[in-house]
Amino acid sequence: VSTQSTGDEGCEVLECRDDGSFFPMYCDGNICWCVDVNKGNEIEDSRGPKRSFHCTEQGEKVVYTGCQNRRYDVCGVDFDRHSSRWTMVEECDEYPCDPVDGLFVAKQCLGPNICWCIDRYNGDVVQGSVSLNCSLECHSNNTYTISPCVKTTSCLEQSVMECDYTGSTSSSR
């Protein structure tokens, strides 16, 4: 997805597909734009920052959601010339996005035991929602329900640290 300068100021030569048509998207540095795949003309108002959108074969600009942009920043992406879309460099589980609306998935987890709720629109953690070894249900209105925690180990044979009102600790069995 690149252009080549002809040496004339303001004149660029667009690379073509094998069949002679134009790619739907071209970039110069960090700015990209959509083009008519048959004529190569730039689609009006389609310019924008690299990795923030892709262009369809019909020349439509499809802007990515905050979730998709955050995933691309964290996971790394590369441009697939054949599909004219940004794709993950490798499999990435960070910041999963809902495949239907592109928003953040409300429940995020680190492994099987630590989970938290996030705002589906901006990806911020919902205060107080971090759960360890508990059943967590995240709701769309940034509320959550934590079911009683499940004990995963027995404390009978382990030493447990307890704090008294002064903050000092003691060991008990």
Side-chain angles (χ1 to χ4, degrees), residues 35-62:
V35 301
D36 178 314
V37 296
N38 297 313
K39 298 178 183 175
N41 297 332
E42 180 177 340
I43 304 296
E44 189 176 338
D45 296 324
S46 68
R47 285 191 178 244
K50 185 182 268 188
R51 292 189 341 213
S52 65
F53 66 96
H54 73 267
C55 303
T56 67
E57 289 289 321
Q58 294 74 35
E60 295 175 50
K61 179 179 177 179
V62 179

Side-chain angles (χ1 to χ4, degrees), residues 44-154:
E44 189 176 338
D45 296 324
S46 68
R47 285 191 178 244
K50 185 182 268 188
R51 292 189 341 213
S52 65
F53 66 96
H54 73 267
C55 303
T56 67
E57 289 289 321
Q58 294 74 35
E60 295 175 50
K61 179 179 177 179
V62 179
V63 178
Y64 294 135
T65 65
C67 181
Q68 291 163 327
N69 281 325
R70 180 149 337 155
R71 258 180 88 76
Y72 292 160
D73 287 343
V74 171
C75 302
V77 293
D78 202 0
F79 194 79
D80 179 0
R81 289 205 78 149
H82 299 289
S83 69
S84 288
R85 291 177 183 249
W86 298 100
T87 57
M88 295 297 183
V89 174
E90 56 188 47
E91 190 63 34
C92 178
D93 293 330
E94 299 282 329
Y95 298 106
C97 303
D98 187 307
V100 175
D101 59 19
L103 299 177
F104 288 93
V105 173
K107 182 179 177 180
Q108 306 276 320
C109 295
L110 180 62
N113 299 326
I114 302 172
C115 296
W116 59 94
C117 300
I118 62 170
D119 183 302
R120 294 198 66 228
Y121 293 94
N122 63 24
D124 292 342
V125 175
V126 175
Q127 188 174 1
S129 68
V130 178
S131 166
L132 177 62
N133 293 327
C134 300
S135 176
L136 175 67
E137 185 178 336
C138 301
H139 309 288
S140 61
N141 59 354
N142 290 340
T143 61
Y144 58 91
T145 306
I146 298 179
S147 298
C149 296
V150 178
K151 282 191 174 183
T152 57
T153 60
S154 170

Side-chain angles (χ1 to χ4, degrees), residues 148-163:
C149 296
V150 178
K151 282 191 174 183
T152 57
T153 60
S154 170
C155 294
L156 296 177
E157 298 300 318
Q158 298 178 9
S159 189
V160 177
M161 298 301 285
E162 296 178 345
C163 295

